[in-house]
Amino acid sequence: MTEHSLWRFSRALHRAINDRHFEDIEALIDEDVEWAIYGPIDMFPFLGARQGKAAVLRVIRQLADNFRVRRFERESIMLGVDSASSMLRYSLTALDSDKPISLRVAQFVQFRADRLISLRVLVDTFDLVEQALGRAIHLPKITSVG
């Protein structure tokens, strides 16, 4: 049995972010890749949707310029032949402040011929924004009418 494309992609992505070795990840991304990380793009401009390999590689370089992956754990994972979905918990370090950041994401990926063709990531943005601001966000209390 051959190794699932997700494992190669995951290793290469973390190596690109932490060690700035982009060659392995470049080889695993399709020219026409669709990439979207849903989150607060006003605070984190590297989030959002991108189309094409060059745009995705720019995002990965921006991630490497801003964060270091200290730890991650897969809470759950489902593998298909050319797809995967997973719930992940990341421990990052913001490079500009040396501040720890913890976040939870849901990731959905698709591959064709061992290359990434689609990535969708949903970030637990409320917790991320509180950590970035360094304070709790207090929302108005919602009451039921009746």
Side-chain angles (χ1 to χ4, degrees), residues 11-23 64 67-69:
R11 279 194 311 272
L13 180 61
H14 292 132
R15 189 164 184 236
I17 292 171
N18 281 353
D19 302 330
R20 303 193 59 80
H21 290 191
F22 300 103
E23 300 80 21
F67 301 101
R68 175 175 238 51
V69 177

Side-chain angles (χ1 to χ4, degrees), residues 100-120:
I101 297 173
S102 174
L103 66 122
R104 195 164 182 227
V105 302
Q107 172 184 278
F108 306 91
V109 292
Q110 293 179 318
F111 299 92
R112 181 176 49 232
D114 294 328
R115 290 179 180 236
L116 181 74
I117 60 170
S118 175
L119 175 135
R120 301 284 184 268

Side-chain angles (χ1 to χ4, degrees), residues 28-40:
L28 298 176
I29 298 174
D30 191 81
E31 290 295 328
D32 298 317
V33 65
E34 294 180 5
W35 174 285
I37 304 175
Y38 301 102

Side-chain angles (χ1 to χ4, degrees), residues 52-131:
K53 185 175 186 173
V56 167
L57 290 172
R58 281 193 298 276
V59 168
I60 293 170
R61 282 183 170 82
Q62 288 176 314
L63 290 168
D65 290 343
N66 287 280
F67 301 101
R68 175 175 238 51
V69 177
R70 285 183 311 172
R71 221 180 83 198
F72 82 99
E73 59 185 85
R74 291 181 182 96
E75 293 180 356
S76 63
I77 189 160
M78 291 180 54
L79 297 175
V81 173
D82 289 322
S83 63
S85 60
S86 54
M87 289 293 298
L88 304 165
R89 187 172 302 274
Y90 275 92
S91 295
L92 308 173
T93 300
L95 296 179
D96 64 344
S97 65
D98 207 32
K99 183 177 179 180
I101 297 173
S102 174
L103 66 122
R104 195 164 182 227
V105 302
Q107 172 184 278
F108 306 91
V109 292
Q110 293 179 318
F111 299 92
R112 181 176 49 232
D114 294 328
R115 290 179 180 236
L116 181 74
I117 60 170
S118 175
L119 175 135
R120 301 284 184 268
V121 174
L122 303 171
V123 179
D124 179 357
T125 58
F126 191 82
D127 186 42
L128 178 61
V129 169
E130 284 187 329
Q131 290 177 71

